[in-house]
Amino acid sequence: MSIPRTAAAGVLPRIKVSRTGRQTPAVRVEHLLPIDQIVLGDCIESLRRLPSQSVDMIFADPPYNLQLENALTRPDNSHVDAVNDEWDRFDSFAEYDAFTRAWLAECRRVMKKTATLFVIGSYHNIFRVGSAVQDLGFWILNDIVWRKANPMPNFRGRRFTNAHETLIWASRSADARGYTFHYEALKAGNEDTQMRSDWYFPLCTGEERLKDAQGRKVHPTQKPEALVARALLAASNPGDIILDPFFGSGTTGAVAKRLGRRFIGLERDPVYAQAAQERIDNVVPLDADAVAAAPARRTEPRIPFLSLLEAGMIAAGEELVDAREKHRAIVRADGTLTVGPVVGSIHKVGALVQGHPSCNGWSFWHARRNNGLIAIDSLRDDYRARHAAP
């Protein structure tokens, strides 16, 4: 079967090595990658052909090793369309563990130092995957629970309904720094509440579910786009290269294209690859403004409180209060605050008056402006805007 715009395994170009002492011109890694393509072939062999430290994020949905021995039926004896494909069958836990360690090791090799990995699984496999993740040197940042709004019931009534799956989110190593996490954007989109590690989404149904000409599921474990989108929005930027070593129905590629990311998909089944390519071809990318990464507070220039005094935005002797006007402090000429005999920074004094171990003074303290209160953090934003580099 011919797959449009899909790379066959083993066609990636090689870097020429100079043995004469002359310097070889630098080659951009991106030129060696099958970007926005589906690579047909075994995932481990395909991974081995990718350059080291070349991808920004990985979303992996590996075989779950469900170990189904018999067909599943409902109480009315109707058949359950469960996962019984050959790719999910392993002769033993040892064989599954060896497979898991092999693909994870290659994923770690191709990850940039700032890259992170998401891997999803059920109780059948996620604990074995997690052990391999740690043994190979990854550093687990979070385990995320996908709570299913519409889980499949337990038809035999002998177990709890299996209503969740687990994602492991990990950096390349314990000392990895600079990995992407859009904390502020996630919080802002979550009604200014920190995004939690339990995510609530329905199973993939309706028009999103790929069907063949007979109306049957193209892929038995197609993940909802909303689930993958949250992972990509949390841990990648527009233009980043997202690798999916078990591409399946192409959810990662479809979401990546819509969100302005680039993708590499590895898939051994040409039927899945064909369906995934057709799906991705129909995706319309969002406008750049709709997917641009919001600036993170921690990356903005540090502004001392004293700078606001020096710029005349706050005056020495001015009174600051909290939002409820329960606590009051006086601004000193050196940029500290005083409450009675206590003198300290905006953070230290804010913590002391509340009896807390710490405090973000920028959001706690407010100044009176135009017959109302304004957080001094807003004044800091104004200062940044006035003094931004041209």
Side-chain angles (χ1 to χ4, degrees), residues 38 219 244-251 266-267 269 271-273 275-276 279:
I38 304 171
H219 195 287
D244 186 336
F246 306 97
F247 204 58
S249 60
T251 302
L266 310 182
E267 177 53 55
D269 188 316
V271 175
Y272 293 162
R279 175 187 185 183

Side-chain angles (χ1 to χ4, degrees), residues 31-361:
H31 294 167
L32 306 176
L33 294 171
I35 292 176
D36 295 335
Q37 297 182 54
I38 304 171
V39 179
L40 278 174
D42 175 79
C43 78
I44 297 173
E45 290 301 318
S46 298
L47 281 166
R48 287 172 178 162
R49 295 186 177 95
L50 297 179
S52 297
Q53 299 187 26
S54 57
V55 303
D56 298 290
M57 178 183 148
I58 296 175
F59 190 96
D61 184 9
Y64 284 13
N65 193 24
L66 297 180
Q67 310 142 42
L68 294 181
E69 297 179 358
N70 301 304
L72 294 180
T73 57
R74 300 180 178 89
D76 62 0
N77 290 323
S78 60
H79 178 70
V80 177
D81 189 10
V83 181
N84 57 6
D85 301 75
E86 185 273 332
W87 51 259
D88 193 56
R89 296 173 185 166
F90 295 83
D91 291 337
S92 64
F93 284 132
E95 181 184 355
Y96 184 79
D97 292 347
F99 166 76
T100 299
R101 290 173 183 273
W103 72 259
L104 277 171
E106 287 302 317
C107 280
R108 188 170 184 269
R109 180 185 62 80
V110 302
M111 290 169 64
K112 295 178 182 177
K113 292 181 179 180
T114 55
T116 56
L117 161 82
F118 284 90
V119 56
I120 187 170
S122 69
Y123 70 88
H124 301 88
N125 72 321
I126 199 62
F127 301 106
R128 310 189 79 87
V129 171
S131 177
V133 164
Q134 291 181 311
D135 289 346
L136 289 168
F138 291 91
W139 186 255
I140 295 179
L141 300 167
N142 276 112
D143 64 325
I144 299 162
V145 175
W146 167 29
R147 295 170 52 223
K148 300 176 182 177
N150 52 344
M152 181 183 295
N154 183 265
F155 295 110
R156 296 180 181 177
R158 296 179 179 271
R159 302 182 184 183
F160 297 107
T161 297
N162 184 28
H164 76 277
E165 293 184 25
T166 301
L167 296 91
I168 294 172
W169 182 42
S171 60
R172 194 173 183 273
S173 62
D175 59 354
R177 298 291 182 270
Y179 60 84
T180 298
F181 181 54
H182 295 296
Y183 169 83
E184 289 89 353
L186 291 169
K187 182 178 178 180
N190 195 39
E191 298 186 353
D192 288 325
T193 302
Q194 288 186 3
M195 184 64 71
R196 292 162 46 119
S197 62
D198 53 334
W199 298 354
Y200 188 65
F201 295 109
L203 294 167
C204 182
T205 57
E207 294 184 1
E208 187 179 321
R209 169 68 77 170
L210 299 190
K211 301 287 185 66
D212 61 17
Q214 288 73 44
R216 297 172 299 193
K217 298 176 185 176
V218 170
H219 195 287
T221 65
Q222 182 178 337
K223 295 300 183 290
E225 290 190 7
L227 176 75
V228 178
R230 183 171 292 182
L232 266 63
L233 288 170
S236 72
N237 295 303
D240 278 357
I241 299 170
I242 316 298
L243 169 66
D244 186 336
F246 306 97
F247 204 58
S249 60
T251 302
T252 300
V255 173
K257 181 179 177 181
R258 180 166 60 88
L259 296 180
R261 278 71 170 165
R262 297 172 294 173
F263 72 87
I264 300 171
L266 310 182
E267 177 53 55
R268 72 179 191 178
D269 188 316
V271 175
Y272 293 162
Q274 179 72 55
Q277 188 67 65
E278 292 175 359
R279 175 187 185 183
I280 293 167
D281 287 345
N282 289 321
V283 171
V284 177
L286 293 172
D287 291 339
D289 289 344
V291 298
R297 286 281 185 181
R298 68 191 67 186
T299 64
E300 294 177 333
R302 181 178 177 274
I303 307 298
F305 181 65
L306 179 60
S307 295
L308 273 62
L309 274 75
E310 294 169 341
M313 302 177 73
I314 291 179
E318 183 175 348
E319 183 182 69
L320 300 182
V321 297
D322 68 305
R324 297 182 179 180
E325 299 191 61
K326 179 181 178 181
H327 304 288
R328 303 169 188 275
I330 301 298
V331 179
R332 288 162 43 94
D334 59 3
T336 59
L337 302 187
T338 178
V339 176
V342 175
V343 177
S345 70
I346 58 173
H347 311 296
K348 180 180 178 181
V349 173
L352 286 172
V353 298
Q354 298 176 87
H356 292 172
S358 63
C359 169
N360 181 349

